[in-house]
Amino acid sequence: MSPSPAPLPHPVSVVGIGADGWPGLSGTAREALCAAEVLIGGARQLDLLPPECAGARVGWPSPLRPAVPRLLAEYRERRIAVLASGDPMFYGIGRALAEELGPEGLHVLPHPSSVSYACARLGWPLEDTEVVTLVGRPAARLAASLHEGRRLLVLSADASTPAAVAALLTSHGFGPSRLRVLEQLGGEEERHVDGIAAEWAHPPGDRLNVIAIDCRASADALRLGTVPGLPDEAYEHDGQLTKRHIRAATLGALAPAPGELLWDVGGGSGSIAIEWLRAHPSCRAVSVERDPVRAERITRNADRLGVPALRVVTGPAPASLAGLEAPDAVFIGGGLTAPGLLDACWEALRPGGRLVANTVTLESEALLAGRHKAHGGELVRLAVAHAVPVGGFTGWRQAMPVTQWSVTKPSGSGARSYKGDRS
């Protein structure tokens, strides 16, 4: 880890500014901008400042994030003010600055965010409104938030975002949803555009916009809940799919928590990793699949189900685990008998992490029984039967039983990224 930079002589003023520009700023915010020797921001934000803000004006380069430490170092001896859209700490530059300087190195002066303005215009309670940002992120991530009756606010990347959102809603069975595009919120040129997703024909408008969605599902839309165990038909697969009831039990044993990382080894259709990611927006996952066709299918499933951040590694395990970040949980759904696989996963697992392995074969079951004896945990057999027609009656059809071993690694054990075979 690199050493923390020396603190700047003066705290950096981080001033939120809205579409209303200079007139919308408080007296304190104006004083901070007038006192600054260097003003850093986007070209649009800098153009909103009057001549009395006499500091040198520096535009953010692209990409922005790598430039933050360089610019802070370049102007460290001068009083710096950074301009941000709305509230700097809400999907804004304030996060990057706080990571570099710490909260004590900043003087943040927020402005109402576009989300606050939008809720005020719509009469929506802010605490009941889910916000999804598509700024620098794929539109596919919106799919995970689509539920009948929900109200969503989408932070747009640019003027093309509303049409992309309308198309995504329609393709996911939410074509009847109402869209309202709120442009230049708080400014003199504020404008609202209204329509239905499936009928959206409005041309691109202003790039500064927020999209309000009243989610309405079509009659034939597949209902996707918020807990593990999505319908099997939600997935594209070739038969290599952890079925719904087993999947729900497996996710229960894996116990995803915010910010944690899962290795899904032997991804198949990606269902375990996908539902891990759907558990919380900050969850992370890597799916390892040796078959390139299946790996591509996992990516499609992840996009379709709203978790495009799933990382797919194509190649055999354990070789393909080399160099991956140590996981908080590991699921092994295939390839248990591959030499060294269980050892590699156990070695890499963080202390206190969970390992869950499923199998339907006697050979792998014997392997899990041995590991259960050595490491403890819980060894269970999961059996599911479905009612099916039997002539004019109904009977049970038993699916293959699944043996599952789940175990928590002791907190005193070491963990590291798996380095590969060192023999």
Side-chain angles (χ1 to χ4, degrees):
M1 180 180 294
S2 59
S4 300
L8 301 184
H10 312 284
V12 173
S13 296
V14 189
V15 180
I17 190 167
D20 48 359
W22 186 256
L25 295 178
S26 68
T28 304
R30 293 183 185 187
E31 290 172 8
L33 292 172
C34 288
E37 298 171 278
V38 177
L39 298 157
I40 304 176
R44 179 187 60 81
Q45 297 158 344
L46 292 170
D47 287 344
L48 295 173
L49 301 183
E52 50 261 45
C53 296
R57 303 190 180 196
V58 178
W60 285 116
S62 181
L64 184 152
R65 184 61 181 90
V68 172
R70 176 178 62 78
L71 289 177
L72 292 176
E74 183 176 350
Y75 299 108
R76 61 171 287 107
E77 300 301 329
R78 304 169 73 178
R79 292 185 180 274
I80 300 172
V82 175
L83 289 165
S85 294
D87 185 343
M89 304 308 297
F90 186 71
Y91 292 111
I93 189 63
R95 175 175 181 167
L97 294 170
E99 290 172 353
E100 292 294 329
L101 301 175
E104 66 281 354
L106 304 179
H107 181 211
V108 181
L109 298 165
H111 187 276
S113 69
S114 59
V115 168
S116 293
Y117 273 122
C119 285
R121 300 292 189 266
L122 298 163
W124 290 3
L126 185 57
E127 67 272 18
D128 293 336
T129 303
E130 184 176 353
V131 179
V132 180
T133 180
L134 298 185
V135 179
R137 297 167 174 85
R141 70 193 306 266
L142 177 61
S145 299
L146 300 180
H147 301 283
E148 173 66 30
R150 289 291 289 165
R151 289 171 168 175
L152 308 176
L153 286 179
V154 177
L155 307 182
S156 286
D158 53 37
S160 68
T161 305
V165 166
L168 183 142
L169 289 168
T170 303
S171 68
H172 282 71
F174 282 80
S177 300
R178 181 185 182 188
L179 300 189
R180 280 169 281 185
V181 180
L182 314 176
E183 301 176 348
Q184 288 284 340
L185 281 162
E188 294 182 357
E189 299 179 12
E190 181 173 324
R191 184 176 79 115
H192 302 177
V193 179
D194 200 329
I196 301 300
E199 303 167 0
W200 194 261
H202 296 286
D206 194 276
R207 65 178 301 273
L208 273 183
N209 71 83
V210 174
I211 307 166
I213 307 174
D214 283 290
C215 292
R216 293 291 179 268
S218 59
D220 58 351
L222 184 63
R223 186 180 184 279
L224 302 179
T226 60
V227 299
L230 297 182
D232 291 346
E233 55 266 35
Y235 293 94
E236 178 189 347
H237 64 90
D238 60 359
Q240 290 297 313
L241 174 71
T242 302
K243 300 300 191 291
R244 181 179 193 173
H245 300 92
I246 303 300
R247 192 184 328 128
T250 300
L251 266 295
L254 287 168
E260 290 189 329
L261 171 66
L262 169 74
W263 284 3
D264 178 10
V265 182
S269 300
S271 62
I272 297 295
I274 287 169
E275 296 191 29
W276 169 280
L277 290 172
R278 285 174 60 93
H280 193 272
S282 66
C283 285
R284 300 172 297 138
V286 178
S287 185
V288 180
E289 171 54 54
R290 66 181 304 151
D291 186 325
V293 174
R294 287 178 180 161
E296 292 178 3
R297 187 180 293 120
I298 291 171
T299 298
R300 292 195 296 272
N301 281 330
D303 286 350
R304 176 72 183 172
L305 292 168
V307 287
L310 174 59
R311 179 184 174 190
V312 180
V313 174
T314 305
S320 294
L321 306 177
L324 297 181
E325 180 184 347
D328 301 286
V330 176
F331 172 66
I332 306 175
L336 267 171
T337 56
L341 176 58
L342 265 171
D343 289 336
C345 292
W346 184 255
E347 177 186 343
L349 187 64
R350 293 183 186 277
R354 290 85 59 207
L355 186 148
V356 178
N358 291 355
T359 187
V360 296
T361 70
L362 292 174
E363 292 78 8
S364 292
E365 185 178 277
L367 183 63
L368 294 185
R371 295 311 172 99
H372 174 253
K373 184 176 181 179
H375 297 292
E378 187 175 18
L379 194 63
V380 299
R381 176 165 287 182
L382 305 172
V384 177
H386 296 272
V388 296
V390 180
F393 299 92
T394 304
W396 294 107
R397 175 170 294 164
Q398 184 78 40
M400 292 183 69
V402 174
T403 298
Q404 180 180 93
W405 177 50
S406 59
V407 63
T408 299
K409 188 172 185 177
S411 296
S413 302
R416 54 188 178 273
S417 298
Y418 179 57
K419 305 300 184 183
D421 187 0
R422 293 182 296 277
S423 58

